[in-house]
Short mmCIF file of all heavy atoms in Angstrom, two decimals:
data_model
loop_
_atom_site.label_atom_id
_atom_site.label_comp_id
_atom_site.label_asym_id
_atom_site.label_seq_id
_atom_site.Cartn_x
_atom_site.Cartn_y
_atom_site.Cartn_z
N GLU A 1 -13.66 3.61 0.45
CA GLU A 1 -12.95 4.30 1.51
C GLU A 1 -11.45 4.40 1.21
O GLU A 1 -10.81 5.43 1.48
CB GLU A 1 -13.17 3.58 2.84
CG GLU A 1 -12.42 4.16 4.03
CD GLU A 1 -12.78 5.59 4.36
OE1 GLU A 1 -13.84 6.09 3.88
OE2 GLU A 1 -12.01 6.24 5.09
N ILE A 2 -10.89 3.34 0.64
CA ILE A 2 -9.48 3.37 0.24
C ILE A 2 -9.25 4.47 -0.80
O ILE A 2 -8.28 5.24 -0.70
CB ILE A 2 -9.05 1.99 -0.31
CG1 ILE A 2 -8.84 1.00 0.84
CG2 ILE A 2 -7.78 2.12 -1.15
CD1 ILE A 2 -8.57 -0.42 0.38
N GLU A 3 -10.13 4.56 -1.78
CA GLU A 3 -9.97 5.58 -2.82
C GLU A 3 -10.12 6.98 -2.24
O GLU A 3 -9.41 7.91 -2.64
CB GLU A 3 -10.98 5.34 -3.94
CG GLU A 3 -10.66 4.14 -4.81
CD GLU A 3 -9.22 4.15 -5.30
OE1 GLU A 3 -8.80 5.17 -5.90
OE2 GLU A 3 -8.51 3.16 -5.08
N ARG A 4 -11.02 7.14 -1.26
CA ARG A 4 -11.17 8.43 -0.61
C ARG A 4 -9.88 8.82 0.10
O ARG A 4 -9.42 9.97 -0.01
CB ARG A 4 -12.33 8.38 0.39
CG ARG A 4 -12.66 9.73 1.03
CD ARG A 4 -13.61 9.57 2.19
NE ARG A 4 -12.95 9.01 3.36
CZ ARG A 4 -12.21 9.72 4.22
NH1 ARG A 4 -12.01 11.02 4.02
NH2 ARG A 4 -11.66 9.13 5.27
N ARG A 5 -9.29 7.88 0.80
CA ARG A 5 -8.05 8.16 1.53
C ARG A 5 -6.88 8.39 0.57
O ARG A 5 -6.03 9.25 0.82
CB ARG A 5 -7.74 7.02 2.49
CG ARG A 5 -8.75 6.91 3.61
CD ARG A 5 -8.36 5.89 4.64
NE ARG A 5 -9.36 5.80 5.69
CZ ARG A 5 -9.10 5.41 6.93
NH1 ARG A 5 -7.87 5.07 7.28
NH2 ARG A 5 -10.06 5.36 7.83
N ARG A 6 -6.84 7.62 -0.50
CA ARG A 6 -5.75 7.82 -1.47
C ARG A 6 -5.83 9.23 -2.06
O ARG A 6 -4.81 9.91 -2.21
CB ARG A 6 -5.82 6.76 -2.57
CG ARG A 6 -4.72 6.89 -3.62
CD ARG A 6 -4.64 5.70 -4.53
NE ARG A 6 -3.91 4.60 -3.92
CZ ARG A 6 -2.58 4.50 -3.90
NH1 ARG A 6 -1.83 5.45 -4.45
NH2 ARG A 6 -1.99 3.48 -3.34
N ALA A 7 -7.03 9.69 -2.39
CA ALA A 7 -7.20 11.04 -2.92
C ALA A 7 -6.82 12.09 -1.88
O ALA A 7 -6.19 13.10 -2.20
CB ALA A 7 -8.65 11.24 -3.38
N LEU A 8 -7.17 11.83 -0.63
CA LEU A 8 -6.89 12.78 0.45
C LEU A 8 -5.39 12.86 0.72
O LEU A 8 -4.84 13.96 0.90
CB LEU A 8 -7.63 12.34 1.72
CG LEU A 8 -7.45 13.17 2.98
CD1 LEU A 8 -8.04 14.57 2.80
CD2 LEU A 8 -8.10 12.47 4.17
N TRP A 9 -4.74 11.72 0.78
CA TRP A 9 -3.34 11.67 1.18
C TRP A 9 -2.37 11.87 0.02
O TRP A 9 -1.31 12.45 0.17
CB TRP A 9 -3.04 10.34 1.87
CG TRP A 9 -3.72 10.20 3.20
CD1 TRP A 9 -4.13 11.21 4.02
CD2 TRP A 9 -4.04 8.98 3.88
NE1 TRP A 9 -4.71 10.68 5.16
CE2 TRP A 9 -4.66 9.32 5.11
CE3 TRP A 9 -3.88 7.63 3.57
CZ2 TRP A 9 -5.12 8.36 6.02
CZ3 TRP A 9 -4.33 6.68 4.48
CH2 TRP A 9 -4.94 7.05 5.69
N LEU A 10 -2.72 11.34 -1.14
CA LEU A 10 -1.80 11.39 -2.28
C LEU A 10 -2.19 12.44 -3.32
O LEU A 10 -1.50 12.58 -4.33
CB LEU A 10 -1.71 10.02 -2.94
CG LEU A 10 -0.88 9.00 -2.15
CD1 LEU A 10 -1.24 7.58 -2.55
CD2 LEU A 10 0.60 9.22 -2.36
N ARG A 11 -3.30 13.14 -3.07
CA ARG A 11 -3.72 14.23 -3.96
C ARG A 11 -3.83 13.75 -5.40
O ARG A 11 -3.44 14.44 -6.34
CB ARG A 11 -2.76 15.43 -3.86
CG ARG A 11 -2.38 15.80 -2.41
CD ARG A 11 -3.45 16.60 -1.71
NE ARG A 11 -3.25 16.71 -0.28
CZ ARG A 11 -2.46 17.61 0.32
NH1 ARG A 11 -1.74 18.45 -0.40
NH2 ARG A 11 -2.37 17.66 1.63
N ASN A 12 -4.33 12.50 -5.55
CA ASN A 12 -4.59 11.90 -6.87
C ASN A 12 -3.34 11.64 -7.71
O ASN A 12 -3.42 11.46 -8.93
CB ASN A 12 -5.59 12.75 -7.66
CG ASN A 12 -6.96 12.76 -6.99
OD1 ASN A 12 -7.47 11.72 -6.60
ND2 ASN A 12 -7.55 13.94 -6.84
N ARG A 13 -2.16 11.63 -7.06
CA ARG A 13 -0.97 11.17 -7.80
C ARG A 13 -1.15 9.70 -8.14
O ARG A 13 -1.63 8.92 -7.32
CB ARG A 13 0.29 11.36 -6.95
CG ARG A 13 0.71 12.81 -6.80
CD ARG A 13 2.10 12.94 -6.18
NE ARG A 13 2.15 12.40 -4.82
CZ ARG A 13 1.79 13.08 -3.74
NH1 ARG A 13 1.33 14.32 -3.85
NH2 ARG A 13 1.88 12.54 -2.55
N PRO A 14 -0.77 9.27 -9.34
CA PRO A 14 -0.99 7.87 -9.73
C PRO A 14 -0.09 6.93 -8.93
O PRO A 14 1.01 7.32 -8.49
CB PRO A 14 -0.61 7.85 -11.22
CG PRO A 14 0.32 9.01 -11.38
CD PRO A 14 -0.15 10.05 -10.42
N PRO A 15 -0.53 5.68 -8.71
CA PRO A 15 0.31 4.71 -8.00
C PRO A 15 1.62 4.47 -8.75
O PRO A 15 1.69 4.55 -9.97
CB PRO A 15 -0.55 3.44 -7.99
CG PRO A 15 -1.95 3.92 -8.20
CD PRO A 15 -1.85 5.13 -9.08
N VAL A 16 2.66 4.16 -8.00
CA VAL A 16 3.96 3.84 -8.59
C VAL A 16 3.90 2.42 -9.17
O VAL A 16 3.39 1.50 -8.52
CB VAL A 16 5.07 3.92 -7.52
CG1 VAL A 16 6.42 3.51 -8.12
CG2 VAL A 16 5.15 5.33 -6.94
N ALA A 17 4.39 2.24 -10.37
CA ALA A 17 4.42 0.92 -11.00
C ALA A 17 5.39 0.01 -10.24
O ALA A 17 6.50 0.41 -9.91
CB ALA A 17 4.83 1.03 -12.46
N LEU A 18 4.97 -1.22 -9.97
CA LEU A 18 5.77 -2.14 -9.17
C LEU A 18 6.42 -3.26 -9.99
O LEU A 18 7.32 -3.93 -9.49
CB LEU A 18 4.89 -2.78 -8.08
CG LEU A 18 4.13 -1.83 -7.16
CD1 LEU A 18 3.33 -2.62 -6.13
CD2 LEU A 18 5.09 -0.86 -6.47
N ALA A 19 5.98 -3.45 -11.21
CA ALA A 19 6.47 -4.58 -12.01
C ALA A 19 7.99 -4.50 -12.18
O ALA A 19 8.54 -3.47 -12.57
CB ALA A 19 5.80 -4.58 -13.38
N GLY A 20 8.65 -5.60 -11.87
CA GLY A 20 10.09 -5.71 -12.04
C GLY A 20 10.92 -4.98 -11.00
O GLY A 20 12.15 -5.00 -11.07
N ARG A 21 10.29 -4.36 -10.02
CA ARG A 21 11.02 -3.59 -9.01
C ARG A 21 11.14 -4.39 -7.71
O ARG A 21 10.38 -5.31 -7.45
CB ARG A 21 10.29 -2.27 -8.70
CG ARG A 21 9.97 -1.40 -9.90
CD ARG A 21 11.16 -0.64 -10.43
NE ARG A 21 11.56 0.47 -9.56
CZ ARG A 21 11.12 1.70 -9.69
NH1 ARG A 21 10.23 2.02 -10.63
NH2 ARG A 21 11.57 2.66 -8.90
N SER A 22 12.10 -4.01 -6.89
CA SER A 22 12.17 -4.52 -5.51
C SER A 22 11.26 -3.65 -4.67
O SER A 22 11.44 -2.43 -4.60
CB SER A 22 13.61 -4.44 -4.98
OG SER A 22 14.44 -5.37 -5.64
N VAL A 23 10.25 -4.26 -4.06
CA VAL A 23 9.24 -3.53 -3.30
C VAL A 23 9.47 -3.78 -1.81
O VAL A 23 9.56 -4.93 -1.37
CB VAL A 23 7.82 -3.96 -3.70
CG1 VAL A 23 6.79 -3.24 -2.84
CG2 VAL A 23 7.59 -3.67 -5.18
N ILE A 24 9.56 -2.70 -1.06
CA ILE A 24 9.79 -2.78 0.39
C ILE A 24 8.53 -2.29 1.10
O ILE A 24 8.20 -1.11 1.03
CB ILE A 24 11.01 -1.95 0.82
CG1 ILE A 24 12.24 -2.33 -0.01
CG2 ILE A 24 11.28 -2.14 2.31
CD1 ILE A 24 13.46 -1.45 0.26
N ILE A 25 7.83 -3.19 1.77
CA ILE A 25 6.63 -2.85 2.54
C ILE A 25 7.08 -2.46 3.94
O ILE A 25 7.74 -3.24 4.63
CB ILE A 25 5.65 -4.04 2.60
CG1 ILE A 25 5.20 -4.42 1.18
CG2 ILE A 25 4.45 -3.71 3.47
CD1 ILE A 25 4.40 -5.72 1.12
N VAL A 26 6.72 -1.25 4.35
CA VAL A 26 7.24 -0.68 5.60
C VAL A 26 6.10 -0.31 6.55
O VAL A 26 5.08 0.23 6.12
CB VAL A 26 8.10 0.58 5.31
CG1 VAL A 26 8.54 1.25 6.60
CG2 VAL A 26 9.31 0.21 4.45
N ASP A 27 6.29 -0.60 7.84
CA ASP A 27 5.36 -0.14 8.87
C ASP A 27 6.16 0.30 10.08
O ASP A 27 7.38 0.07 10.15
CB ASP A 27 4.37 -1.25 9.24
CG ASP A 27 3.04 -0.69 9.75
OD1 ASP A 27 2.96 0.52 10.02
OD2 ASP A 27 2.08 -1.49 9.88
N ASP A 28 5.48 0.94 11.05
CA ASP A 28 6.19 1.41 12.24
C ASP A 28 6.41 0.30 13.27
O ASP A 28 7.08 0.49 14.28
CB ASP A 28 5.46 2.59 12.89
CG ASP A 28 4.01 2.29 13.24
OD1 ASP A 28 3.59 1.12 13.12
OD2 ASP A 28 3.28 3.23 13.62
N GLY A 29 5.87 -0.86 12.99
CA GLY A 29 6.00 -2.03 13.83
C GLY A 29 4.94 -3.02 13.40
O GLY A 29 3.94 -2.64 12.79
N ILE A 30 5.16 -4.29 13.66
CA ILE A 30 4.21 -5.32 13.24
C ILE A 30 3.91 -6.19 14.45
O ILE A 30 4.82 -6.68 15.12
CB ILE A 30 4.79 -6.17 12.09
CG1 ILE A 30 5.11 -5.27 10.88
CG2 ILE A 30 3.81 -7.25 11.68
CD1 ILE A 30 5.84 -5.98 9.75
N ALA A 31 2.63 -6.38 14.72
CA ALA A 31 2.23 -7.19 15.87
C ALA A 31 1.86 -8.60 15.41
O ALA A 31 2.67 -9.52 15.46
CB ALA A 31 1.07 -6.52 16.61
N THR A 32 0.63 -8.80 14.91
CA THR A 32 0.22 -10.14 14.47
C THR A 32 0.71 -10.45 13.06
O THR A 32 0.86 -11.62 12.71
CB THR A 32 -1.31 -10.27 14.48
OG1 THR A 32 -1.87 -9.41 13.48
CG2 THR A 32 -1.87 -9.91 15.85
N GLY A 33 0.91 -9.41 12.24
CA GLY A 33 1.33 -9.62 10.86
C GLY A 33 0.20 -9.85 9.89
O GLY A 33 0.43 -10.01 8.69
N ALA A 34 -1.05 -9.87 10.36
CA ALA A 34 -2.18 -10.19 9.48
C ALA A 34 -2.30 -9.19 8.33
O ALA A 34 -2.44 -9.58 7.16
CB ALA A 34 -3.47 -10.22 10.28
N THR A 35 -2.23 -7.91 8.64
CA THR A 35 -2.34 -6.89 7.60
C THR A 35 -1.18 -6.96 6.63
O THR A 35 -1.36 -6.87 5.41
CB THR A 35 -2.39 -5.49 8.25
OG1 THR A 35 -3.55 -5.41 9.09
CG2 THR A 35 -2.45 -4.40 7.21
N THR A 36 0.02 -7.17 7.15
CA THR A 36 1.20 -7.23 6.30
C THR A 36 1.15 -8.44 5.37
O THR A 36 1.54 -8.34 4.20
CB THR A 36 2.47 -7.30 7.17
OG1 THR A 36 2.42 -6.26 8.14
CG2 THR A 36 3.72 -7.14 6.33
N ARG A 37 0.65 -9.55 5.85
CA ARG A 37 0.56 -10.75 5.01
C ARG A 37 -0.40 -10.54 3.85
O ARG A 37 -0.15 -10.99 2.72
CB ARG A 37 0.13 -11.95 5.85
CG ARG A 37 1.17 -12.36 6.90
CD ARG A 37 0.63 -13.42 7.83
NE ARG A 37 0.50 -14.70 7.15
CZ ARG A 37 -0.12 -15.76 7.69
NH1 ARG A 37 -0.64 -15.67 8.90
NH2 ARG A 37 -0.19 -16.88 7.01
N VAL A 38 -1.51 -9.86 4.10
CA VAL A 38 -2.44 -9.53 3.02
C VAL A 38 -1.78 -8.60 2.02
O VAL A 38 -1.92 -8.76 0.80
CB VAL A 38 -3.73 -8.90 3.60
CG1 VAL A 38 -4.62 -8.39 2.48
CG2 VAL A 38 -4.48 -9.91 4.46
N ALA A 39 -1.02 -7.62 2.52
CA ALA A 39 -0.32 -6.69 1.64
C ALA A 39 0.68 -7.42 0.75
O ALA A 39 0.81 -7.12 -0.45
CB ALA A 39 0.38 -5.62 2.46
N ILE A 40 1.40 -8.38 1.31
CA ILE A 40 2.37 -9.15 0.52
C ILE A 40 1.68 -9.87 -0.64
O ILE A 40 2.14 -9.82 -1.80
CB ILE A 40 3.09 -10.19 1.41
CG1 ILE A 40 4.02 -9.49 2.41
CG2 ILE A 40 3.90 -11.18 0.55
CD1 ILE A 40 4.56 -10.41 3.49
N LYS A 41 0.55 -10.52 -0.36
CA LYS A 41 -0.18 -11.25 -1.40
C LYS A 41 -0.63 -10.31 -2.52
O LYS A 41 -0.53 -10.63 -3.71
CB LYS A 41 -1.39 -11.95 -0.79
CG LYS A 41 -1.04 -13.12 0.11
CD LYS A 41 -2.29 -13.76 0.69
CE LYS A 41 -1.94 -14.90 1.62
NZ LYS A 41 -3.14 -15.54 2.21
N ALA A 42 -1.12 -9.14 -2.14
CA ALA A 42 -1.61 -8.19 -3.14
C ALA A 42 -0.47 -7.63 -3.97
O ALA A 42 -0.57 -7.52 -5.19
CB ALA A 42 -2.36 -7.07 -2.44
N VAL A 43 0.64 -7.29 -3.33
CA VAL A 43 1.78 -6.70 -4.04
C VAL A 43 2.36 -7.70 -5.04
O VAL A 43 2.76 -7.32 -6.15
CB VAL A 43 2.84 -6.23 -3.03
CG1 VAL A 43 4.16 -5.91 -3.72
CG2 VAL A 43 2.34 -5.00 -2.27
N ARG A 44 2.40 -8.96 -4.68
CA ARG A 44 2.95 -9.97 -5.60
C ARG A 44 2.19 -10.01 -6.93
O ARG A 44 2.78 -10.33 -7.97
CB ARG A 44 2.94 -11.34 -4.93
CG ARG A 44 4.02 -11.52 -3.88
CD ARG A 44 4.33 -12.99 -3.66
NE ARG A 44 5.22 -13.21 -2.55
CZ ARG A 44 6.56 -13.08 -2.61
NH1 ARG A 44 7.12 -12.69 -3.74
NH2 ARG A 44 7.30 -13.33 -1.55
N ARG A 45 0.91 -9.71 -6.90
CA ARG A 45 0.12 -9.75 -8.14
C ARG A 45 0.59 -8.71 -9.15
O ARG A 45 0.31 -8.83 -10.34
CB ARG A 45 -1.35 -9.53 -7.82
CG ARG A 45 -2.03 -10.74 -7.21
CD ARG A 45 -3.51 -10.54 -7.03
NE ARG A 45 -4.19 -10.16 -8.27
CZ ARG A 45 -5.50 -10.01 -8.37
NH1 ARG A 45 -6.27 -10.17 -7.32
NH2 ARG A 45 -6.05 -9.66 -9.51
#
């Protein structure tokens, strides 16, 4: 489902390389933070 949405929204543009960069995870607001915490763990890899 993620790949389907990425193709739909990003028109198959490749992901931006994150190694060595400052990465800013942005949302319109954060309530519990559960989703954002998972995103942080994944981005660090």
